[in-house]
Amino acid sequence: MRYFRLVPFFSLFVLFSCLDEKDYSIDSLTVNPSIAIPLIHGDLSIKDLIKDTDSVYVKVYPDDLVYLAYTETLATQDIKDLFTIPDKTLNQSLPIPAGTIPAHPKDIRTDSLVEVIDFNLSPEQLSEIAFKAGTITYSATLLPASSGLLFEVNLVSTDLTSKTTGKAFNVTTSNTGSVQLSDYIVKLNKNKFNLKLVLVLKQSSTSKVITPNTSVAVNFRMAGMDFSYIKGFFGDQTANPPATTLEIGAFGSSLTKANLSIAQPIVNLTVINDYGVPLKGTFIKLEARKSGSVLPFQINPASPVTIAAPTLLGNSATTNVSVTNAKDLLDFGPTEFYYQLSARINQGVTSGNNFLADTSKLKVKLEVEVPLYGHASAIQLADTIKLDVGDIDESQIENASLKVNVNNELPLDAKIQFYLTDDKFQVIDSLLAVSQTSLVKGSSVTSGGDLQSMGIVQEEIPLDNAKINKLFLAKNIIVKAQMNTSKDLTGQFPDVKFKSAYKMNVNLGLKANLKFNVKL
């Protein structure tokens, strides 16, 4: 750039070198080139004014209107977590009467004993459990072992059946063994099922003398159980999932003092329920938040909300909750939405056929769409730019000015001030007088809020020597803007639209006239 600025100087030098020194005697030459130092240059769209962290939320409607789409889902299994299956142990003694057992060529089955296995759950009364984990361990021990009696114990439950074969649980043992429950389903009667124990005396070619107090000790244990689904009546219980926050970062601190009106915002609240149980959801907290204040949601139906339940295991049911003050919530300029839900099942119900799976969830989905359509004033924006005036000698500057050229399709006016700071970001001075800060003129719009004509600003603002001196001392420029949407001819703020194709072309630079005195 400097080379081209000095071309006139070299041309003049060549011209003067052609003159006859007898006619002219020149001792020095003064030239006044000008240079431009760009500060800001390029095109801006509405997307550029949105925080980088929120760019993922920027969407565009088919009509090119830009909107921000936020979604957060509170997915909880707290209802499922109300139900755990405790370990169960059965210890039973099968007595063998004292006396002599003659030789017998075939096995002898003694009378069976039916035991009730009770999971002792409360308040739930389960009717069916499909296991996905757990182990049955069992053992049969002859006491005293010295009798030498050959025996087996048959453990049978028609309530406990294999998922693979459909056959009832049936094991025979004279020592120890185990079975994995992941292949089994148990049918229950109010948390109970039956287990039959049968003592079998094995065939013997000799007689056996049974001493008093002889028995077979049976141990049956179910442990480490988890379910893939459960059915029955679950009782009246309440789950309290943790609170959830949906960050609305695009507003940030820019709208802390702003007056905001969003046209046609959308706030949807949807509850998706996988649990086959009567359910009511109470929103303990449901509010928009920003620094120092909150605004509650208004919903229909009001809390507590009766939540629809599926009729078949594996299905879901959806309940839509209307947010009746969506516009107020968005005009509030929140930085986050906060909600906390408690879920109560079987309220006031004493019986029923409930079900749930290990994958069942209660999901509260909050969806927010913020169309960039409306009006606003007192929007505060700020940015910091590192200042580099190159290797220009301040003493060579005769005068300087700020040159502004803005062609703006965005419906945004802005008053902008530049603050000069040192290397520790301490403000040295401001660059502009108050009357010089209206550097961006918003586009005019139609009655429907669409672009009618761009706003144009072309100015050259002189800077006095004091400002120039401070400019050379500064290391950074803090740019602060107070913005509002375009006004109509009456000075009112109509609703305006920000479309993705709209651009603001900004050329902002420092123009300096230099003074060189060259000795010849």
Side-chain angles (χ1 to χ4, degrees):
M1 179 183 295
R2 182 169 299 168
Y3 170 78
F4 291 104
R5 291 292 185 190
L6 296 179
V7 167
F9 168 72
F10 288 115
S11 298
L12 287 172
F13 181 79
V14 171
L15 173 64
F16 281 111
S17 69
C18 297
L19 299 177
D20 191 338
E21 292 182 0
K22 296 178 180 179
D23 299 322
Y24 300 93
S25 178
I26 301 174
D27 297 324
S28 64
L29 179 66
T30 300
V31 293
N32 299 92
S34 63
I35 63 169
I37 303 171
L39 298 178
I40 300 174
H41 169 74
D43 289 330
L44 295 173
S45 70
I46 188 61
K47 295 179 182 180
D48 297 313
L49 299 179
I50 294 171
K51 290 172 55 178
D52 290 342
T53 52
D54 282 285
S55 60
V56 68
Y57 305 116
V58 177
K59 310 291 182 183
V60 179
Y61 288 123
D63 66 353
D64 203 40
L65 179 66
V66 177
Y67 70 100
L68 304 174
Y70 298 91
T71 301
E72 188 66 53
T73 301
L74 167 62
T76 177
Q77 288 193 288
D78 285 55
I79 294 176
K80 171 192 172 294
D81 293 341
L82 293 172
F83 308 99
T84 57
I85 305 171
D87 294 349
K88 295 300 300 182
T89 299
L90 169 69
N91 287 304
Q92 184 58 271
S93 178
L94 300 177
I96 303 175
T100 300
I101 300 176
H104 47 282
K106 294 183 178 180
D107 294 347
I108 301 174
R109 293 173 61 89
T110 67
D111 291 339
S112 62
L113 177 65
V114 177
E115 290 289 333
V116 176
I117 307 297
D118 188 351
F119 287 112
N120 295 312
L121 298 170
S122 180
E124 56 266 37
Q125 298 175 10
L126 301 186
S127 61
E128 185 174 334
I129 302 173
F131 295 102
K132 71 173 183 180
T135 304
I136 293 175
T137 57
Y138 51 84
S139 65
T141 306
L142 181 64
L143 300 174
S146 57
S147 63
L149 183 66
L150 299 177
F151 76 96
E152 288 178 341
V153 174
N154 187 210
L155 302 173
V156 181
S157 177
T158 56
D159 297 325
L160 189 62
T161 57
S162 168
K163 299 175 188 176
T164 305
T165 65
K167 294 181 178 180
F169 177 81
N170 190 333
V171 297
T172 300
T173 183
S174 58
N175 42 58
T176 61
S178 65
V179 172
Q180 294 303 307
L181 275 169
S182 55
D183 184 46
Y184 281 86
I185 296 173
V186 64
K187 299 287 187 179
L188 303 170
N189 180 11
K190 297 182 179 180
N191 305 321
K192 304 178 182 70
F193 75 97
N194 294 332
L195 176 68
K196 184 166 68 173
L197 290 69
V198 181
L199 177 61
V200 178
L201 302 180
K202 300 298 288 180
Q203 65 183 38
S204 176
S205 59
T206 61
S207 62
K208 298 291 183 182
V209 176
I210 305 301
T211 61
N213 300 318
T214 298
S215 64
V216 174
V218 178
N219 175 270
F220 178 87
R221 178 173 172 78
M222 303 174 74
M225 290 172 284
D226 197 3
F227 57 84
S228 56
Y229 71 78
I230 57 174
K231 296 180 180 180
F233 179 64
F234 295 163
D236 186 340
Q237 302 190 64
T238 300
N240 294 291
T244 292
T245 299
L246 172 59
E247 301 289 343
I248 309 293
F251 289 107
S253 59
S254 303
L255 302 180
T256 301
K257 298 180 180 179
N259 298 311
L260 181 68
S261 176
I262 302 293
Q264 303 172 2
I266 299 172
V267 180
N268 289 326
L269 193 62
T270 306
V271 183
I272 304 166
N273 178 28
D274 300 338
Y275 295 100
V277 56
L279 178 60
K280 285 193 175 181
T282 299
F283 286 98
I284 300 169
K285 292 282 187 180
L286 183 58
E287 57 196 21
R289 293 181 172 185
K290 65 180 180 181
S291 179
S293 57
V294 300
L295 181 65
F297 277 56
Q298 295 174 11
I299 59 173
N300 184 26
S303 182
V305 179
T306 298
I307 297 172
T311 57
L312 294 174
L313 183 66
N315 288 355
S316 299
T318 299
T319 302
N320 294 313
V321 180
S322 174
V323 179
T324 58
N325 65 334
K327 178 171 172 55
D328 292 338
L329 293 171
L330 272 299
D331 289 353
F332 177 67
T335 57
E336 65 182 30
F337 288 130
Y338 179 90
Y339 58 107
Q340 184 177 9
L341 177 77
S342 71
R344 186 172 179 180
I345 62 173
N346 288 320
Q347 183 177 1
V349 179
T350 58
S351 64
N353 297 314
N354 309 151
F355 58 81
L356 64 84
D358 62 321
T359 56
S360 294
K361 293 181 179 67
L362 179 67
K363 297 182 281 288
V364 180
K365 186 176 183 181
L366 180 62
E367 299 173 289
V368 179
E369 288 188 13
V370 187
L372 300 190
Y373 176 29
H375 61 267
S377 61
I379 303 170
Q380 306 289 331
L381 294 175
D383 199 3
T384 300
I385 302 171
K386 189 171 182 61
L387 182 61
D388 182 7
V389 293
D391 55 358
I392 300 171
D393 186 345
E394 180 186 351
S395 65
Q396 295 172 340
I397 296 179
E398 188 170 49
N399 56 68
S401 58
L402 194 65
K403 192 167 184 179
V404 181
N405 190 339
V406 179
N407 295 321
N408 184 20
E409 295 176 335
L410 297 173
L412 276 177
D413 290 317
K415 291 185 176 182
I416 300 176
Q417 182 60 274
F418 301 93
Y419 294 94
L420 305 173
T421 81
D422 60 18
D423 55 355
K424 296 181 180 179
F425 300 97
Q426 297 296 315
V427 175
I428 299 172
D429 198 359
S430 59
L431 199 57
L432 303 177
V434 174
S435 61
Q436 298 172 331
T437 58
S438 297
L439 300 183
V440 176
K441 179 177 175 57
S443 64
S444 61
V445 298
T446 66
S447 59
D450 294 296
L451 173 66
Q452 188 172 54
S453 62
M454 72 170 61
I456 298 174
V457 174
Q458 293 179 336
E459 291 189 25
E460 191 168 314
I461 304 170
L463 301 176
D464 59 34
N465 288 334
K467 300 289 187 185
I468 295 172
N469 292 339
K470 296 288 181 65
L471 188 64
F472 274 84
L473 291 173
K475 300 299 182 183
N476 304 283
I477 294 181
I478 297 176
V479 183
K480 287 191 175 181
Q482 179 166 304
M483 310 180 77
N484 56 260
T485 53
S486 299
K487 295 181 181 179
D488 60 21
L489 295 177
T490 67
Q492 301 299 310
F493 292 103
D495 287 337
V496 299
K497 295 178 180 178
F498 290 86
K499 296 192 174 182
S500 65
Y502 294 171
K503 304 291 183 185
M504 181 193 301
N505 179 263
V506 180
N507 287 280
L508 182 66
L510 182 69
K511 179 181 177 183
N513 293 316
L514 306 181
K515 183 177 180 179
F516 291 99
N517 187 275
V518 181
K519 296 292 183 179
L520 299 176

